[in-house]
Amino acid sequence: MCSLLLLLAAVPPNDDPTSYASMGWIIAGIFGIVGLANQGMALWDRLFPRATPPAHEMYATKAEVAKVASDHKDEVKRIETRFSQWMEQQRTQHQENMDKTEEVISKFTDWQLTIERALGHVETKADISLGKARK
């Protein structure tokens, strides 16, 4: 309001509006109005401060939350599927290893029995020959 009065007082009715003094008062009045607007905006910002960071950067919309939840559900499903496949692969590999181990143990047992039989025949023949020789 004060700047408006200054602006009106800058050009008195009987003075020349093109004089340097009148132009100076007009420029001073304009600067006063701009300064008043600046002070008004500063007061407004102090009374009603802006959120930092802005709400759109801080919070998600329902659509964004739904998309993230859907993506998360898909990712969990993918992980569970991959884990199930891995567990099945491990189970198959374990079964194959156990079958091979049982096969090796069976062959080793057969070999051991064959050696024991062979040694039994050797010992028997040796015992027989020693027994006949001692008699």
Side-chain angles (χ1 to χ4, degrees), residues 77-122:
K77 187 175 182 180
R78 185 192 67 78
I79 290 171
E80 287 176 349
T81 302
R82 181 65 185 117
F83 184 73
S84 296
Q85 291 171 349
W86 180 76
M87 288 299 290
E88 181 62 29
Q89 179 184 5
Q90 291 300 315
R91 188 194 66 75
T92 304
Q93 186 177 5
H94 175 74
Q95 188 61 42
E96 289 173 358
N97 288 341
M98 291 304 293
D99 292 343
K100 287 179 183 177
T101 303
E102 288 175 5
E103 181 183 342
V104 167
I105 289 173
S106 175
K107 287 182 180 181
F108 180 73
T109 302
D110 292 344
W111 175 80
Q112 185 179 7
L113 287 174
T114 303
I115 295 297
E116 287 175 355
R117 287 185 192 133
L119 288 175
H121 289 296
V122 170

